[in-house]
Amino acid sequence: MTTYYTSDQHFGHLNIIRFCDRPFPGAPAMNARLVELWNETVSDDDTVWVLGDVALGALDESLAHVDRLAGRKILVPGNHDRCWEGERTLRKGEPEARERRRTKERQRYLDAGFAEIHDRPDPVAVGGQNVVLSHFPFEGDSHGEDRFVEYRPVDRGSWVVHGHVHNTWRQRGRQINVGVDAWGGRPVPAAAIAALLADGPRDLEPLSWERPEP
């Protein structure tokens, strides 16, 4: 049994292809390739932490891909997930009504195939070190100025495994981006994270997307 980390699939999101230069002619081809790369990597006995932004577009149609993915899947919602904690403040309406909507949305993600949803999970041990799991890095963004500062983890000298920044970096200092746009489209095994931790803080560029063999 292996633990993996990943984020930012953006199932069903056509514009992400242009934004991140993904090598696909459209969303259906992207969706199929994401599922293929995941299932080539992950077995049903494995656990995968998905650090946010799993699906956009027509949500029911996009979330349907989650059930096709192998392994036990745990979601840490990102700012594009309907069940993200920030939705309580971004949506209009009374606080109680916003919370009811969020509870209903969380159930949609659970029904789609996630075993658990954690807004701010406790640190996890990787390679003998405790690391923070979050959709957001401590600092940095793919849009220039840092967004959603109030929802980011606080840098207290630890490492953070995160998503959100797409192909901006694979590692920046003590921040490890496990988004699919930094790792060729595949989930990242804990052993790969442990190796980066052992090598210490540095900057690494994203890996290229893996293209299917002709």
Side-chain angles (χ1 to χ4, degrees):
M1 295 185 291
T2 301
T3 299
Y4 291 86
Y5 302 90
T6 187
S7 74
D8 296 280
Q9 282 73 25
H10 282 240
F11 283 116
H13 187 197
L14 178 62
N15 286 339
I16 199 67
I17 296 173
R18 173 179 52 83
F19 180 70
C20 291
D21 196 27
R22 293 186 179 183
F24 306 106
M30 176 184 72
N31 297 338
R33 184 61 173 156
L34 283 166
V35 172
E36 181 179 48
L37 289 169
W38 179 302
N39 288 338
E40 287 177 1
T41 306
V42 177
S43 74
D44 285 335
D45 293 331
D46 297 331
T47 296
V48 186
W49 285 85
V50 181
L51 304 185
D53 289 6
V54 64
L56 279 82
L59 190 60
D60 287 337
E61 181 179 329
S62 300
L63 276 179
H65 296 289
V66 173
D67 195 48
R68 301 168 58 198
L69 304 173
R72 183 174 185 270
K73 299 168 285 287
I74 303 173
L75 178 64
V76 178
N79 55 288
H80 285 298
D81 295 312
R82 302 275 184 89
C83 58
W84 177 50
E85 60 178 330
E87 286 289 299
R88 289 177 293 188
T89 57
L90 295 178
R91 290 190 177 192
K92 298 180 180 180
E94 294 297 323
E96 295 82 1
R98 293 201 301 267
E99 188 60 32
R100 285 196 298 270
R101 284 197 296 267
R102 182 168 177 257
T103 298
K104 182 177 179 180
E105 295 293 354
R106 286 172 71 92
Q107 191 60 50
R108 291 177 75 183
Y109 284 77
L110 292 170
D111 292 343
F114 285 103
E116 301 175 26
I117 299 174
H118 298 279
D119 292 320
R120 304 193 185 206
D122 292 333
V124 300
V126 180
Q129 296 194 54
N130 283 338
V131 301
V132 176
L133 300 181
S134 173
H135 176 65
F136 303 105
F138 296 133
E139 60 181 7
D141 208 300
S142 57
H143 285 68
E145 183 179 354
D146 287 6
R147 298 169 295 160
F148 312 112
V149 174
E150 64 271 36
Y151 297 103
R152 291 173 181 251
V154 177
D155 184 357
R156 295 188 172 91
S158 63
W159 289 73
V160 61
V161 173
H162 65 89
H164 187 62
V165 299
H166 294 282
N167 54 355
T168 308
W169 71 75
R170 182 160 49 107
Q171 181 178 343
R172 178 175 289 180
R174 289 177 285 101
Q175 304 181 135
I176 299 173
N177 170 28
V178 293
V180 293
D181 295 294
W183 288 88
R186 294 182 183 271
V188 186
I193 303 297
L196 295 180
L197 296 173
D199 287 337
R202 55 179 173 162
D203 292 348
L204 293 175
E205 295 294 319
L207 301 177
S208 299
W209 272 83
E210 292 190 26
R211 299 175 182 266
E213 296 183 5

